[in-house]
Amino acid sequence: MDCKNIKELLTQYSLGDLGSDEKTSIESHIGTCSDCSSYLSESENLWNLLEARDEIEPDPEFLSNFWDKAAVDEVKLKPGFLSWVRDIKPNWTLAGAMASIFFVSVITFGVFSPDMTNNLFMSDEQQDELILIELDNAISTETADVLAIYGAWDGGTDVNGNGGIN
Amino acid sequence: MESDIELMLRTKAGDDSAFSELMNRHYKGVLNYIYRFTNLKENSEDLAQEVFLRVYRSASKYRPEAKFTTWLYKIATNVSLTHVKKKNSNISLDEMTENTGEYEDSEVEISDDIIYRKEMKDLIIKAMETLPEREKLAIMLCKYEGLSYEETADVLECTVGAVKAYVHRGRMKLVNKLKPYLTEGGEYGL
Ligand SMILES: [Zn+2]
């Protein structure tokens, strides 16, 4: 392998994501090529340096703020089809654009596709429901098994970065 | 400790304290994910609240097949993207590879001046800002949120191979942009 090919694999190499053959050939190349070995150390320094980004602390009132909003939400928002109509304001440019998109869609596809993913024209609930459906479809038993090597489903304290690629 | 799924199922059954527990676990992670993505401190708290409101509202439809954090970060990504998109309403998502935050410059010019004045983290933020959306998101999810390649692929709706490519390409670009800081024993090195 030449240096270009080696560099293509260095990210995976430093994340421990290569098979033993590739690993061996990279290690033997790095042993003799100062260019690639310094590139590897730069790349690893970069990866560590990313941790220098600052974190923000949640508003201490974040929970009570949330429950206040959730309570208001429940009163004014009846979930369902009509909830997005509420948010529509007369906007003829948008209406024109939507009509064009509609027209083109009908011509192009002939039918309505349930998979219209243009988020802007969907209510939050519809969007989130679609996400759920997609996820359900995407996660087969097989992939669930694959996921299992990353630990229990709950993630829990994992969110700040101990279970993944570090 | 109860799993996220158990808590989500309790929420679904009407137990709000279970949802508070979920928020205690994940709020800070989501907040910082949004903050790193949008670079806007002031809005991040509102957006994080919106993410959890959406999750809460969808609780009745929740089924335990999906990993909770994957779902959560997918909604957080959508909320962040929608927010950024509103701010850049004339740029399409695919084109929107730059200027996603408060930083106006898309080029990272590492002049001597900047080197001595700016802190490292500002440079990292600037460099991250120049990455294409998906490379930035892939690095953020893998590196900061600790998601696996598979989970990141679910969030970004792409293949695991694509996630690896995004992480790799993004990482190479960052190395090139921040090179003066990365050389061992170099002028500005570690
Ligand atoms: Zn080489």
Side-chain angles (χ1 to χ4, degrees):
Chain A
M1 277 193 278
D2 63 15
C3 293
K4 196 166 181 285
N5 292 327
I6 294 286
K7 282 182 183 171
E8 278 302 313
L9 292 173
L10 283 183
T11 297
Q12 281 174 273
Y13 171 77
S14 74
L15 296 174
D17 197 33
L18 288 181
S20 57
D21 285 356
E22 284 172 313
K23 202 170 162 240
T24 312
S25 58
I26 283 189
E27 276 161 5
S28 72
H29 180 92
I30 286 170
T32 57
C33 177
S34 62
D35 193 35
C36 286
S37 78
S38 63
Y39 189 85
L40 177 65
S41 78
E42 285 167 10
S43 174
E44 286 181 339
N45 287 343
L46 178 270
W47 206 238
N48 295 329
L49 217 54
L50 290 184
E51 272 150 34
R53 285 200 69 172
D54 57 342
E55 273 199 335
I56 49 176
E57 288 300 318
D59 183 331
E61 302 293 310
F62 79 90
L63 268 182
S64 56
N65 290 344
F66 173 84
W67 289 114
D68 288 349
K69 283 183 195 155
V72 172
D73 232 37
E74 245 155 58
V75 175
K76 79 169 187 192
L77 199 139
K78 287 267 170 262
F81 178 74
L82 286 178
S83 63
W84 65 275
V85 175
R86 186 176 48 92
D87 293 321
I88 292 182
K89 298 175 188 75
N91 177 337
W92 295 109
T93 317
L94 182 63
M98 284 179 78
S100 316
I101 290 168
F102 177 79
F103 191 63
V104 171
S105 311
V106 169
I107 292 203
T108 313
F109 301 109
V111 288
F112 286 105
S113 160
D115 189 26
M116 284 176 70
T117 45
N118 196 331
N119 297 340
L120 285 180
F121 302 137
M122 250 186 252
S123 75
D124 295 348
E125 297 95 75
Q126 284 172 306
Q127 212 183 98
D128 296 341
E129 196 173 355
L130 271 187
I131 291 172
L132 264 186
I133 292 167
E134 280 164 19
L135 273 174
D136 284 349
N137 293 339
I139 300 186
S140 64
T141 327
E142 196 184 11
T143 55
D145 288 342
V146 174
L147 285 174
I149 64 167
Y150 296 98
W153 277 24
D154 51 309
T157 54
D158 221 26
V159 178
N160 289 318
N162 300 319
I165 309 149
N166 281 308
Chain B
M1 194 173 79
E2 267 182 293
S3 71
D4 288 349
I5 289 173
E6 285 164 333
L7 290 173
M8 202 56 203
L9 291 173
R10 268 172 55 200
T11 305
K12 186 177 178 175
D15 179 356
D16 285 348
S17 71
F19 198 73
S20 290
E21 173 60 26
L22 273 173
M23 285 184 72
N24 280 326
R25 280 184 198 178
H26 296 295
Y27 191 82
K28 190 177 172 185
V30 168
L31 176 68
N32 277 286
Y33 176 67
I34 292 168
Y35 169 54
R36 290 184 188 112
F37 186 77
T38 62
N39 277 323
L40 297 167
K41 244 176 206 160
E42 321 78 61
N43 287 322
S44 299
E45 193 82 37
D46 285 345
L47 295 176
Q49 294 268 329
E50 189 185 333
V51 169
F52 281 94
L53 275 172
R54 287 211 205 172
V55 173
Y56 180 68
R57 271 189 236 141
S58 309
S60 61
K61 295 157 198 153
Y62 180 73
R63 284 186 291 145
E65 283 90 346
K67 184 172 171 175
F68 177 75
T69 44
T70 310
W71 182 41
L72 183 63
Y73 279 99
K74 198 157 180 176
I75 291 174
T77 304
N78 273 2
V79 167
S80 305
L81 279 172
T82 306
H83 179 77
V84 169
K85 208 157 36 165
K86 271 182 202 153
K87 291 186 62 198
N88 302 275
S89 51
N90 49 352
I91 309 171
S92 87
L93 251 187
D94 290 329
E95 289 166 340
M96 201 173 58
T97 57
E98 297 176 337
N99 284 350
T100 47
E102 64 192 5
Y103 293 92
E104 304 278 56
D105 289 342
S106 58
E107 293 297 317
V108 178
E109 288 292 341
I110 303 180
S111 66
D112 285 358
D113 224 34
I114 293 178
I115 285 166
Y116 291 109
R117 275 192 293 114
K118 289 279 186 185
E119 284 182 53
M120 199 64 222
K121 60 188 175 193
D122 292 327
L123 285 165
I124 292 168
I125 292 170
K126 278 200 137 193
M128 290 281 281
E129 283 306 298
T130 67
L131 294 183
E133 202 94 297
R134 285 182 165 260
E135 292 174 16
K136 183 176 155 188
L137 284 168
I139 289 177
M140 284 174 50
L141 289 164
C142 290
K143 175 70 183 171
Y144 295 117
E145 311 311 321
L147 266 59
S148 68
Y149 285 138
E150 283 78 6
E151 289 161 353
T152 303
D154 279 338
V155 172
L156 299 181
E157 294 178 8
C158 64
T159 64
V160 169
V163 171
K164 290 181 181 180
Y166 293 143
V167 170
H168 173 65
R169 270 189 263 141
R171 183 165 163 168
M172 282 184 94
K173 286 174 192 167
L174 291 176
V175 169
N176 289 334
K177 285 183 194 302
L178 298 171
K179 220 174 177 70
Y181 299 91
L182 305 171
T183 320
E184 221 113 12
E187 193 176 356
Y188 312 110
L190 302 169

